[in-house]
Amino acid sequence: MNFAIVFSGQGLQNLSHVQQLKDLAIELNVRDHLQQHLPKLFDPNLAEADLYPNAFAQPFIFALQWCRWQKLKHKLDEVISFSGYSLGELSALICSSETSFEQGLYLAQQRALLMSGATQVPSGLVAVQGINWKTLEPVLNSTATSLSIKINDSSFIVGGDDENLQQLALQLEQLGVRSAKRLNVTIPSHTCLMNNAVAPYQQVLHQQTFNRLRIPIISGSGGHKYYQSSEAVEALIEQMNHAIDWDSCLTAIQENQPDLVLEIGPGTALSKMLLERHPRCTVRAVDDFKTWSGLQAWLEKQSIGSS
């Protein structure tokens, strides 16, 4: 049985993920690194609202994904591809190249700091559904907002500053589009508002040494399949201020015909997207299961059923 692994982005983390990360960090002997680089994680007064600011969210989610992958990787048969949604593509690179946890945590922190510092005004992302690109594009132009991620032909993520995103919502409502939902992300990722972060992020990545990719990465940059670490690094740099084509990425994942797609999380949004497109595909998310033993039992059942 072969697997495609998908790493999620920001917005769906919650306090249960905090406790799981703490438990996994002890098991995997990386708690000291977390205490050093992400001390807020151990604040007894940490609240759900604290999980969403970018400076905490990105290294936290990377750490959770890295730990989950370490827990899972020996329980899977053959993994034919990694993919990552936004921040998740950095996790895919770190896990595929078997880069150290500390180095990956540093890169996630640098990404967060540079992206947060790229714009000086409150900003973020909005999910827009029920509109085609031909209708949406002029609205983006008139409100100085930008495409961040294409989900499919009628579903998009849009980035901009708060004032312009409010204008976007008003104009969409006038067009009869009422599905414009603000996401729990505090930066306009993958838009031109990130231009100031590109050069320093490129410098940070080019200063690192990465091993070869053990597992190819199907990238959010148009669904291209990368076998070299250098290709994956350049994709991460380009994505900083260019929109992600997640639609093409999902198509490429399915064209590779995995027996099972597993979303590392946090959340289940990506697995639901893939199921909507390919109802016959076997897709699950780590967050579908309440316990590791439940997930492991399900994986063993799938393996037995395919033999």
Side-chain angles (χ1 to χ4, degrees):
M1 171 173 288
N2 61 59
F3 291 79
I5 302 297
V6 182
F7 295 87
S8 313
Q10 295 175 242
L12 295 176
Q13 60 271 29
N14 59 50
L15 289 174
S16 69
H17 296 123
V18 171
Q19 187 57 53
Q20 184 182 108
L21 176 56
K22 290 178 179 179
D23 294 341
L24 287 172
I26 293 172
E27 180 180 343
L28 298 168
N29 198 30
V30 294
R31 189 176 188 273
D32 289 346
H33 292 315
L34 281 176
Q35 284 186 311
Q36 179 182 353
H37 296 287
L38 202 59
K40 192 171 184 177
L41 180 70
F42 299 92
D43 183 346
N45 298 315
L46 188 72
E48 188 131 331
D50 298 323
L51 307 184
Y52 302 118
N54 196 49
F56 179 88
Q58 291 201 34
F60 168 67
I61 291 169
F62 162 75
L64 178 69
Q65 292 175 338
W66 186 90
C67 288
R68 283 181 166 184
W69 172 244
Q70 303 309 308
K71 182 85 170 177
L72 281 168
K73 64 181 182 180
H74 300 299
K75 297 177 172 61
L76 307 180
D77 296 329
E78 179 185 2
V79 179
I80 60 173
S81 70
F82 276 162
S83 294
Y85 182 93
S86 190
L87 167 67
E89 193 152 327
L90 175 62
S91 297
L93 168 64
I94 299 302
C95 292
S96 179
S97 62
E98 297 184 356
T99 300
S100 71
F101 175 73
E102 189 171 19
Q103 187 176 353
L105 192 58
Y106 166 76
L107 291 175
Q109 284 183 309
Q110 289 299 305
R111 184 180 188 271
L113 291 171
L114 291 170
M115 293 177 84
S116 294
T119 178
Q120 303 303 313
V121 296
S123 54
L125 299 175
V126 168
V128 180
Q129 294 181 307
I131 187 172
N132 60 44
W133 176 246
K134 185 177 179 181
T135 306
L136 178 61
E137 185 177 22
V139 180
L140 301 186
N141 292 335
S142 67
T143 58
T145 54
S146 304
L147 176 66
S148 173
I149 303 173
K150 178 186 178 184
I151 305 298
N152 56 47
D153 289 336
S154 61
S155 182
F156 307 89
I157 307 297
V158 175
D161 65 44
D162 285 0
E163 184 177 344
N164 290 336
L165 289 175
Q166 290 172 7
Q167 290 300 315
L168 171 77
L170 289 173
Q171 290 197 26
L172 289 174
E173 189 170 351
Q174 291 171 2
L175 291 172
V177 180
R178 300 186 182 278
S179 182
K181 179 184 178 182
R182 187 67 182 257
L183 302 181
N184 287 319
V185 179
T186 58
I187 51 170
S189 312
H190 317 300
T191 72
C192 60
L193 293 178
M194 293 291 100
N195 285 349
N196 290 337
V198 175
Y201 186 56
Q202 181 180 41
Q203 184 177 11
V204 167
L205 285 173
H206 284 174
Q207 288 173 343
Q208 310 302 310
T209 300
F210 296 98
N211 300 319
R212 67 178 180 86
L213 298 183
R214 268 62 172 183
I215 298 165
I217 294 174
I218 298 176
S219 176
S221 296
H224 299 293
K225 194 172 187 178
Y226 297 132
Y227 296 88
Q228 304 294 330
S229 296
S230 58
E231 296 175 314
V233 167
E234 293 309 310
L236 284 173
I237 295 167
E238 180 190 17
Q239 289 172 16
M240 180 73 76
N241 63 341
H242 289 81
I244 288 175
D245 187 354
W246 189 246
D247 184 36
S248 294
C249 187
L250 289 181
T251 297
I253 291 171
Q254 184 57 21
E255 286 176 349
N256 275 253
Q257 298 184 326
D259 296 317
L260 193 151
V261 181
L262 183 63
E263 179 180 359
I264 294 292
T268 61
L270 303 184
S271 52
K272 289 175 181 176
M273 288 178 196
L274 194 53
L275 270 178
E276 287 175 3
R277 295 163 62 103
H278 306 287
R280 295 183 180 179
C281 186
T282 303
V283 186
R284 296 300 296 270
V286 172
D287 277 3
D288 286 334
F289 300 88
K290 292 182 178 180
T291 63
W292 282 107
S293 59
L295 172 57
Q296 185 171 349
W298 182 78
L299 289 170
E300 291 173 352
K301 182 179 179 181
Q302 300 303 306
S303 181
I304 293 171
S306 66
S307 60

